[in-house]
């Protein structure tokens, strides 16, 4: 049976996942906001989404741009997990996966690395 946690608890799990990212990695993050939403309106089953321009693709034209966004979707993550330990793990994997896109790592590379 899928787990259900409050919005507040889910946001804590995302925050905890962010805290596990290495400091050197976080120091390299540039102009990104992390948002928690219930579902993606266009693709309701996806777990997360990176919208923006990867660091590897930025040029001088990027200066002054609005922040990139990483979305973490609560409902599909809860639906795939049976307990909180599993949810903690899947939230962390999703956070890492979406930040990898910020650094220019595509889905194929993530799959090879075990973070797909």
């Amino acid at each position: 049976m899928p787990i259900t946690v409050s919005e507040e608890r889910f946001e804590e799990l995302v925050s905890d996942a962010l805290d596990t990212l290495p400091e050197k990695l976080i120091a390299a993050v540039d102009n990104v906001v992390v948002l928690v939403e219930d579902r993606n309106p266009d693709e309701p089953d996806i777990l997360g989404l990176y919208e923006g321009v990867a660091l590897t693709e930025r040029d001088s034209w990027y200066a002054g741009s609005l922040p990139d966004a990483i979305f973490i979707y609560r409902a599909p993550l809860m639906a795939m997990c049976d307990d909180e330990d599993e949810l903690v793990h899947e939230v962390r994997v999703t956070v890492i996966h979406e930040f990898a896109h910020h650094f220019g790592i595509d889905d194929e590379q993530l799959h090879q690395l075990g973070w797909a």
Side-chain angles (χ1 to χ4, degrees):
M1 178 160 215
I3 186 171
T4 301
V5 298
S6 69
E7 290 178 23
E8 294 80 16
R9 178 63 182 142
F10 190 85
E11 288 181 9
E12 286 175 11
L13 297 179
V14 172
S15 179
D16 291 348
L18 291 168
D19 288 344
T20 69
L21 298 175
E23 284 187 37
K24 287 184 179 183
L25 184 72
I26 292 298
V29 171
D30 183 41
N31 201 30
V32 178
V33 62
V34 177
L35 303 166
V36 174
E37 293 189 358
D38 196 47
R39 288 187 185 279
N40 179 293
D42 298 322
E43 298 179 66
D45 294 329
I46 64 172
L47 308 178
L49 180 67
Y50 171 71
E51 288 186 346
V53 179
L55 292 176
T56 55
E57 297 176 17
R58 293 183 185 178
D59 201 344
S60 59
W61 59 266
Y62 185 81
S65 295
L66 291 174
D68 293 0
I70 291 176
F71 296 92
I72 307 298
Y73 298 113
R74 182 175 168 260
L77 278 159
M78 288 189 306
M80 70 181 293
C81 298
D82 294 326
D83 59 42
E84 190 162 320
D85 288 339
E86 188 178 3
L87 183 60
V88 167
H89 172 76
E90 292 300 335
V91 166
R92 183 168 185 267
V93 168
T94 303
V95 166
I96 290 169
H97 181 106
E98 300 311 329
F99 268 99
H101 289 315
H102 175 66
F103 287 101
I105 300 172
D106 64 23
D107 283 332
E108 183 177 328
Q109 291 171 300
L110 284 167
H111 183 71
Q112 293 170 356
L113 295 169
W115 294 101

